[in-house]
Structures are given as structure tokens and as C-alpha cells.
């Protein structure tokens, strides 16, 4: 009780203040919540309580250069949870010690949005195993020094969730957990200001339920019913679901689609100030019950919308956020071969407080949306619509002599605003090269994949690999034959892990190249999230220059984003004695001035 009480007493005033403000001083509901969170504390396994205490003493535990993440679909990688447990050695060999398993809770077949339509927050999908399996996998991961991350799909439930079923059947209390309307009057008002998430695959933000003659809010797919967080019962119950998952041994809770959780008429229903009140309350509750657990916010928005989710130094919200704009800018750079925008983007991120930890990535399970800094690009005469068209043409291989093989996603017929899908390898030209049997092109593609990962590792924050990228997994076109998936091109990059491909020469080169990079990253603390980062002019628009400094150590890195050899203006001091190229181990002078296509240099000095 002591630990709980100590943490609770410190935070109760703020929690009460926020809760009462949001829920009209409903003290009965707050008491229920406080009582419930204590029960979750009581139920929390001892080993996790010990871990909480260790992490409380080392609050920066997740900011080091030794943390490397990987996200994966359990079924694609190893059939089920037991399979993952047996294959931990594989990810460990790569230096991965943080495992994000894609949604694995119960969701109806064919109407699951890849697991993002949860029908039971306390049950694992039967094909993947049981809650006991998840618990035992998490325990094994902890024994082996691996943290686990799981999605908490909090914006909506599946239409098959018990609350949804009751609501459909007419239960008044259950209906209050969602947004139900007798007719289209209010929904039509909402539609005036609320943009669409899936304009092609799921247009509109509401769905007509013919059986009960009601309209229900469905921001995402029609079978994903938005929860109403203005109802304190929803907040209380969902907090309990979150703590339940934390108690299974989940270290990082990914707050799925968090900007959407507060809805208000005549607003965009994104990033409402009350979303921040809710996230702050969740942070306080985790700090009381399970302070070793981190919140990772999924905010796929422009940087000015993302950063507020860190909260303030005194009142923090999320521990980590995705660096989505840098990811999109990276693929823009692959297409344009001009590093200017990326430089600007990296400089902006590095100017933010070092306490902000970003999760960096090249690809994930979702599409790439072209949320770039168009105001800045306009200075160079770049028009947003035309540029998106260029990026999509280039990355789908539709022109410009491009070897990329992506597919469009949600090609909005009105806004003409398509997004893009595809694996790192296919977008980098490996699929085309192998299809053509062109060895020269294949080598260039492999170098591109490795260069991109080296660049990923030298950004500020934690890198998150996408399972399959480490062996150059290409697009999977079989989704087109599946009636539940064919309309959603995100399945293009959600294919089964090709274990047999691992033996190919190309896969080995990528895997061992990446392993080398990850070992170097873990070894040198110049890669630490606390290191200072700046970009510099390499004298060549195709080559990105990044300088990292930490405790007297400096790394000057060069990344050639073009498919041709490039000359660079070496930083003066790189020629001095003491510098060494980390990846090849060559001495500075031996490196020269010419970089091969998609080349990388990590010039390091320990002086
Ligand atoms: C998040 C997920 C995405 C899903 C959506 C709805 O954005 O990343 O895959 O479709 O939430 O749950």
C-alpha cells in the first residue's frame, strides 16, 4: 500500500482537478476510479512492481543509445505468441530489445482493420494464443532484457464489443458510451467540419444502422464505433483496460489514434484541448499504478500538432511520439534526391528540448501520408498538389525512370490526395531489381536500404525497425485475392515474414549490414538521445550531413541520397588525425571525397 499511497498522494490533487473539470465534479465516479486503480496496483505482479521501482530511480532508462525497437505482426512473423517466444533469438541477434507487437486482441474476422477493431480488451485473438501466452511472452522478454509495446486502441471499439452489442439492442446506458443519433441532423452538422480519415475505403464519419434505425459515429471504418469520452464511465472503464494490459507485462502502451478521442460539434474533432486533459490523467494514473510503463502517442499530424502531446516539463503527457514528418520527408528525399527539406526537418527536431523522445522509423504498418512543409517548399516554386503527384508517380514507379514499387492508398477522388504504401525494400528498388535479375541495380537497392537505416540510427530518438525490412522483404500482392483486404492497400506491406528468403545473398547482406550498424549504435554513446545534433552543408544537394556530439565525442555522418556516385566537401576537421569511419573501420584519409551511390560514412573521433 505504501508505494501506491506515496505516489497517489503526490498526484491526487491534480487528478481530481482535471477529472472534476472534465466530468462536472462527479466525485462518485472519481472515487470509483481511484478505488479501481488501487485494485490494479494490488494485482500487479511483483516482478513488475520491482521493475517500476528500478525505472522510477532511472527515469531516463528509455533514452539511451542501446534501445532499438522492432514492430511486427505476430502471425506474419511466427504464427502465434508461442512462436514469437521461440524466435526471440532472431530479433536479439539484430540488437532489438523493444518489441512492438501489432494489435493482437480479439477482433472480428474480416472486420478488424488489422486488429484495430477490438471486441474484447482482455482476450487475445484465439489464433494467436491466450492472455496467459501473452503474459508468459512478456515475462520471457523481460528475462532477456526486451521491453514489450502493445497498442491500446482507445478511440473506438468494434461493433462486436459487448457495449456496442448492447447499444445496438437499445440499451440506453450503452448508447451513451458511443455517439448515437435518431436521424442525420446532427451527423450532417458534424460532417461540415470533420475531415475524413479513409475517404475512399470508408467515406464519411457516420454509419446508418438499419436494424436499429440509428446513426452511429464511425470516424474510421463503419465497424469501428467511436467511444464518447465525455462520458466518465467510458474513461473509467478504458483506464481499467489499459491497466489490465500493463499488468500483463506491457512496458509501452501505444495510444492509437489519440488525437481523435474528443468530439465536439463544429470542430475538426482532432487535437481538442480536452484530449490533452485525458492523456495527462492517463499519465498520472500510470505514474501511480505502474510508473515503469511508458505512453507512446500515435499522432500522425504536422509537428505543431505532435509536440503538444509531450505536455510540459511540469505536466508531461506522452513519453514518446512518432516522428512522422521526418519519415515522410525521408521518402520525399528518396524521390527528389535533394536533401534540403530533410535538413530543415532534422534541424527543427533537434532544436526541441532533449526531454522529448521521438520514435523514428522508415516504414510502419500504415501508409505514408504526404504531410510535408509545403509553405517552405513553396519558396522553391513547389506546388503541393503537383508535388504529391510527383512523389506518388515516382514511388509507384510510374515515371522518372524510377525503380520504386509502391501502390497508392486512399486516392481521394475529390482532393486528389493519395497516400502511399509499400515496403522499404520495394520502395528502394530491390523488388524491381530482383524481378529484372539486374545485379547492379540490386546492389544499389541494398545500399539504399542500408543507407536509410544508418541515417535512421543517427536521428535523435529511438529507432523502430519494421519487421522484414532487415532482410529486404518486398511487397506482398496476395491481399488482392482476399475479399476482406483487397480494398486496403496497406496490406501490401503487411505480408508474411519470408523465412526462406533469409538465406538469399541479398537478405544476408542487409541483415548483417544492419546488425553492424545496430552494434555500433549501441556501442558509441554519441548516438544517445541526449547527444546534440546538427546538420551541415556537404556542398552537394544529394548528400545529407549530420553531426552528433556527446561528451567530447563527435560523429560526422554523410548520407548519399542519390543513385549516382557523388563528390562531397569533407568537413575540414574530418581530415585531421583521429577520425575513423566506423562502418568500414577505415582511417579518415583513406575514405576520400567520392561517395558511392547511396553511400554512408560515419566519421568518428574520440578526441
Ligand atoms: C491507427 C492505426 C491504423 C488504424 C487506425 C484506426 O491510425 O495505426 O492502422 O487503421 O488507427 O484504429
Amino acid at each position: 500500500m505504501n508505494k501506491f499511497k506515496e505516489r497517489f498522494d503526490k498526484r491526487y490533487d491534480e487528478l481530481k482537478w482535471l477529472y472534476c473539470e472534465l466530468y462536472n465534479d462527479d466525485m462518485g465516479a472519481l472515487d470509483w476510479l481511484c478505488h479501481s486503480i488501487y485494485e490494479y496496483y494490488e494485482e500487479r505482479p511483483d516482478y513488475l512492481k520491482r521493475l517500476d521501482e528500478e525505472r522510477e530511480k532511472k527515469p531516463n532508462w528509455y533514452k539511451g543509445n542501446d534501445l532499438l525497437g522492432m514492430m511486427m505482426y505476430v502471425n506474419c512473423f511466427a504464427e502465434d505468441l508461442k512462436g514469437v517466444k521461440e524466435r526471440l533469438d532472431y530479433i536479439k541477434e539484430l540488437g532489438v530489445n523493444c518489441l512492438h507487437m501489432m494489435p493482437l486482441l480479439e477482433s472480428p474476422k474480416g472486420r478488424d482493420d488489422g486488429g484495430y477493431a477490438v471486441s474484447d480488451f482482455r482476450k487475445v485473438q484465439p489464433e494467436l494464443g491466450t492472455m496467459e501466452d501473452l503474459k508468459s511472452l512478456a515475462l520471457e522478454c523481460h528475462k532477456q532484457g526486451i521491453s514489450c509495446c502493445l497498442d491500446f486502441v482507445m478511440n473506438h471499439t468494434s461493433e462486436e464489443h459487448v457495449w456496442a452489442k448492447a447499444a445496438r439492442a437499445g440499451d440506453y446506458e450503452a448508447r451513451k458510451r458511443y455517439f448515437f443519433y435518431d436521424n442525420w441532423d446532427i451527423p450532417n452538422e458534424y460532417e461540415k467540419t470533420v475531415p475524413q480519415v479513409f475517404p475512399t475505403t470508408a467515406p464519411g464519419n457516420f454509419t446508418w444502422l438499419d436494424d436499429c434505425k440509428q446513426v452511429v459515429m464511425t470516424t474510421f471504418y463503419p465497424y469501428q464505433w467511436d467511444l464518447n469520452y465525455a462520458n466518465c464511465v467510458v474513461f473509467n472503464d478504458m483506464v481499467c483496460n489499459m491497466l489490465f494490459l500493463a499488468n500483463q507485462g506491457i512496458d509501452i502502451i501505444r495510444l492509437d489514434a489519440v488525437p481523435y478521442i474528443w468530439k465536439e460539434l463544429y470542430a475538426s474533432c482532432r487535437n481538442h484541448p480536452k484530449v490533452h486533459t485525458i492523456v495527462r490523467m492517463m499519465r498520472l494514473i500510470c505514474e501511480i499504478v505502474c510508473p515503469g510503463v511508458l505512453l507512446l502517442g500515435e499522432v500522425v499530424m504536422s509537428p505543431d500538432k505532435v509536440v503538444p502531446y509531450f505536455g510540459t516539463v511540469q505536466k508531461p503527457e506522452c513519453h514518446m511520439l512518432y516522428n512522422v514528418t521526418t519519415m515522410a520527408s525521408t521518402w520525399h528525399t528518396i524521390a527528389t534526391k535533394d536533401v534540403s527539406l530533410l535538413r530543415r526537418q532534422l534541424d527543427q527536431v533537434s532544436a526541441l528540448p532533449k526531454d522529448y523522445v521521438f520514435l523514428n522509423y522508415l516504414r510502419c504498418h500504415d501508409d505514408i501520408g504526404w504531410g510535408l512543409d509545403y509553405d517552405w517548399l513553396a519558396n522553391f516554386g513547389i506546388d503541393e498538389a503537383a508535388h504529391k503527384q510527383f512523389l506518388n508517380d515516382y514511388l509507384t514507379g510510374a515515371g522518372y525512370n524510377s525503380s520504386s514499387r509502391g501502390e497508392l492508398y486512399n486516392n481521394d477522388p475529390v482532393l486528389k490526395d493519395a497516400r502511399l504504401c509499400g515496403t522499404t525494400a520495394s520502395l528502394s528498388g530491390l523488388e524491381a531489381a530482383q524481378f529484372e535479375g539486374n545485379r547492379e541495380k540490386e546492389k544499389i537497392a541494398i545500399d539504399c536500404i542500408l543507407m536509410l537505416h544508418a541515417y535512421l540510427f543517427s536521428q535523435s530518438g529511438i529507432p523502430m525497425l519494421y519487421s522484414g525490412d532487415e532482410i529486404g522483404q518486398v511487397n506482398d500482392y496476395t491481399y488482392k485475392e482476399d475479399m476482406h483486404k483487397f480494398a486496403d492497400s496497406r496490406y501490401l506491406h503487411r505480408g508474411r515474414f519470408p523465412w526462406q528468403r533469409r538465406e538469399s545473398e541479398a537478405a544476408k547482406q542487409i541483415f548483417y549490414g544492419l546488425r553492424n550498424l545496430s552494434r555500433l549504435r549501441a556501442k558509441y554513446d554519441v548516438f544517445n538521445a541526449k547527444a546534440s545534433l546538427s546538420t551541415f552543408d556537404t556542398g552537394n544537394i544529394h548528400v545529407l550531413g549530420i553531426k552528433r556530439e556527446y561528451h567530447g565525442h563527435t560523429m560526422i555522418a554523410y548520407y548519399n541520397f542519390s543513385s549516382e556516385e557523388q563528390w562531397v566537401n569533407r568537413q575540414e576537421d574530418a581530415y585531421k588525425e583521429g577520425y575513423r569511419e566506423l562502418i568500414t573501420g577505415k582511417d579518415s584519409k583513406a575514405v576520400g571525397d567520392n561517395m558511392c551511390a547511396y553511400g554512408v560514412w560515419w566519421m568518428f573521433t574520440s578526441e
Side-chain angles (χ1 to χ4, degrees):
M1 173 70 183
N2 280 346
K3 267 281 157 204
F4 179 89
K5 195 173 175 322
E6 198 184 302
R7 296 174 190 146
F8 181 83
D9 287 349
K10 262 197 214 153
R11 293 165 181 87
Y12 179 68
D13 281 348
E14 191 191 342
L15 183 62
K16 177 177 162 197
W17 194 79
L18 294 173
Y19 196 96
C20 286
E21 190 189 54
L22 201 62
Y23 296 125
N24 302 319
D25 295 324
D26 191 337
M27 283 304 290
L30 177 62
D31 287 345
W32 185 93
L33 178 69
C34 294
H35 180 75
S36 303
I37 67 171
Y38 176 63
E39 280 177 4
Y40 285 92
Y41 170 77
E42 281 282 273
E43 280 168 19
R44 191 156 170 80
D46 283 341
Y47 93 92
L48 292 175
K49 284 187 180 166
R50 280 197 299 276
L51 197 60
D52 288 336
E53 286 178 33
E54 278 168 33
R55 288 176 175 173
E56 265 185 313
K57 285 185 204 130
K58 260 180 63 187
N60 288 337
W61 68 270
Y62 60 97
K63 297 183 182 171
N65 45 307
D66 50 349
L67 201 68
L68 176 60
M70 178 182 273
M71 57 193 296
M72 63 165 60
Y73 283 95
V74 168
N75 60 338
C76 292
F77 180 71
E79 298 295 333
D80 56 17
L81 290 166
K82 286 197 174 108
V84 174
K85 196 164 148 187
E86 282 158 19
R87 294 197 143 140
L88 290 178
D89 282 348
Y90 171 77
I91 62 159
K92 268 176 53 182
E93 193 183 348
L94 212 54
V96 170
N97 50 11
C98 173
L99 185 58
H100 176 189
M101 286 171 284
M102 297 308 294
L104 44 77
L105 299 179
E106 195 180 77
S107 31
K109 274 266 135 325
R111 291 172 78 72
D112 62 344
D113 185 22
Y116 284 99
V118 179
S119 53
D120 190 336
F121 290 94
R122 298 178 182 225
K123 209 168 151 206
V124 168
Q125 290 166 25
E127 320 81 85
L128 302 180
T130 61
M131 200 44 87
E132 274 311 307
D133 293 337
L134 179 63
K135 219 174 168 170
S136 124
L137 172 61
L139 181 65
E140 186 55 35
C141 282
H142 282 112
K143 278 190 193 149
Q144 303 199 28
I146 301 170
S147 311
C148 296
C149 171
L150 203 67
D151 279 85
F152 181 50
V153 187
M154 63 181 298
N155 176 68
H156 43 257
T157 71
S158 148
E159 62 179 347
E160 296 288 319
H161 191 281
V162 281
W163 303 339
K165 282 188 186 161
R168 201 191 268 271
D171 182 315
Y172 175 71
E173 291 299 322
R175 282 192 178 175
K176 284 202 305 190
R177 289 177 183 255
Y178 299 94
F179 296 86
F180 267 75
Y181 302 97
D182 295 335
N183 58 50
W184 286 90
D185 293 348
I186 297 175
N188 285 342
E189 289 301 302
Y190 268 105
E191 292 289 13
K192 289 180 183 164
T193 53
V194 185
Q196 306 188 51
V197 180
F198 299 140
T200 321
T201 48
N205 289 287
F206 293 85
T207 300
W208 170 249
L209 304 175
D210 202 40
D211 50 354
C212 60
K213 307 283 179 250
Q214 290 282 307
V215 184
V216 66
M217 186 187 277
T218 53
T219 303
F220 293 84
Y221 278 108
Y223 49 79
Q224 289 167 315
W225 294 8
D226 290 73
L227 284 168
N228 184 357
Y229 280 87
N231 177 354
C232 60
V233 176
V234 168
F235 177 76
N236 285 2
D237 282 345
M238 289 302 280
V239 161
C240 292
N241 283 333
M242 174 183 75
L243 294 177
F244 173 83
L245 292 175
N247 279 356
Q248 309 309 306
I250 302 306
D251 303 88
I252 305 175
I253 307 267
R254 177 184 181 274
L255 302 179
D256 179 59
V258 63
Y260 299 82
I261 61 176
W262 193 274
K263 319 293 194 290
E264 243 171 61
L265 207 48
Y266 307 119
S268 71
C269 296
R270 277 126 173 94
N271 308 305
H272 193 282
K274 286 178 180 161
V275 171
H276 291 280
T277 308
I278 292 177
V279 178
R280 176 67 189 147
M281 289 198 291
M282 290 168 75
R283 170 80 180 239
L284 287 168
I285 290 166
C286 285
E287 284 177 0
I288 295 169
V289 180
C290 47
V293 169
L294 306 177
L295 298 180
L296 160 64
E298 190 225 2
V299 184
V300 183
M301 305 262 162
S302 58
D304 56 316
K305 305 280 186 337
V306 174
V307 167
Y309 285 85
F310 282 118
T312 61
V313 177
Q314 290 79 25
K315 295 186 188 326
E317 296 175 24
C318 293
H319 297 83
M320 290 194 276
L321 293 164
Y322 288 97
N323 194 353
V324 56
T325 305
T326 302
M327 181 280 293
S329 306
T330 303
W331 291 106
H332 149 99
T333 311
I334 285 290
T336 60
K337 304 177 168 55
D338 175 343
V339 301
S340 322
L341 179 72
L342 199 52
R343 260 194 86 179
R344 180 182 157 81
Q345 175 62 29
L346 292 170
D347 285 337
Q348 281 174 347
V349 173
S350 66
L352 294 169
K354 293 264 175 290
D355 287 314
Y356 293 178
V357 178
F358 281 103
L359 225 136
N360 299 306
Y361 60 114
L362 296 172
R363 290 296 296 114
C364 70
H365 68 296
D366 278 332
D367 50 291
I368 306 170
W370 297 119
L372 305 174
D373 189 346
Y374 293 103
D375 289 342
W376 187 76
L377 288 172
N379 295 327
F380 308 93
I382 295 176
D383 165 70
E384 179 170 340
H387 189 59
K388 284 181 180 167
Q389 179 77 48
F390 161 74
L391 293 171
N392 285 328
D393 283 349
Y394 185 93
L395 291 163
T396 54
Y400 309 98
N401 199 20
S402 155
S403 297
S404 289
R405 292 293 179 266
E407 280 188 358
L408 298 185
Y409 178 69
N410 267 282
N411 191 0
D412 187 333
V414 185
L415 301 174
K416 298 216 181 325
D417 191 13
R419 285 123 72 174
L420 190 99
C421 294
T423 69
T424 298
S426 289
L427 295 179
S428 304
L430 189 65
E431 181 183 331
Q434 292 180 337
F435 180 77
E436 294 165 19
N438 184 332
R439 295 303 289 255
E440 205 178 313
K441 258 183 152 177
E442 186 185 52
K443 182 185 178 304
I444 293 181
I446 293 172
D447 286 346
C448 179
I449 296 167
L450 286 172
M451 182 280 290
L452 284 172
H453 282 93
Y455 143 77
L456 174 71
F457 285 180
S458 50
Q459 289 178 36
S460 287
I462 311 297
M464 182 62 83
L465 305 174
Y466 188 54
S467 171
D469 280 357
E470 77 282 11
I471 57 161
Q473 178 168 354
V474 296
N475 291 341
D476 174 19
Y477 296 92
T478 60
Y479 80 95
K480 293 178 198 274
E481 289 144 31
D482 184 328
M483 64 179 282
H484 298 304
K485 295 181 179 164
F486 77 95
D488 193 333
S489 53
R490 291 178 299 176
Y491 286 99
L492 184 66
H493 50 254
R494 297 177 180 175
R496 294 211 149 254
F497 188 87
W499 286 100
Q500 71 298 348
R501 196 185 156 87
R502 231 193 119 191
E503 299 313 317
S504 75
E505 223 17 74
K508 281 187 194 153
Q509 276 180 39
I510 300 171
F511 185 89
Y512 292 112
L514 211 57
R515 191 180 68 171
N516 184 30
L517 295 175
S518 99
R519 287 183 178 171
L520 292 169
R521 178 175 173 273
K523 184 168 166 195
Y524 295 97
D525 54 10
V526 73
F527 290 100
N528 198 300
K530 294 251 177 227
S532 77
L533 182 151
S534 54
T535 66
F536 60 88
D537 186 2
T538 60
N540 185 327
I541 56 156
H542 305 302
V543 182
L544 175 72
I546 296 182
K547 186 172 182 177
R548 296 189 66 104
E549 287 166 293
Y550 189 67
H551 283 186
H553 295 188
T554 304
M555 185 182 79
I556 297 179
Y558 300 80
Y559 304 94
N560 180 1
F561 273 80
S562 97
S563 51
E564 314 263 313
E565 186 180 79
Q566 297 294 334
W567 171 88
V568 290
N569 195 356
R570 295 276 303 278
Q571 286 277 293
E572 203 47 46
D573 54 359
Y575 269 120
K576 281 192 195 148
E577 294 302 314
Y579 273 89
R580 196 160 41 90
E581 202 288 311
L582 286 183
I583 303 168
T584 53
K586 276 191 189 167
D587 136 277
S588 174
K589 283 186 192 129
V591 171
D593 293 323
N594 285 331
M595 300 191 84
C596 67
Y598 299 115
V600 193
W601 294 334
W602 276 357
M603 307 304 303
F604 179 76
T605 178
S606 47
E607 270 165 22

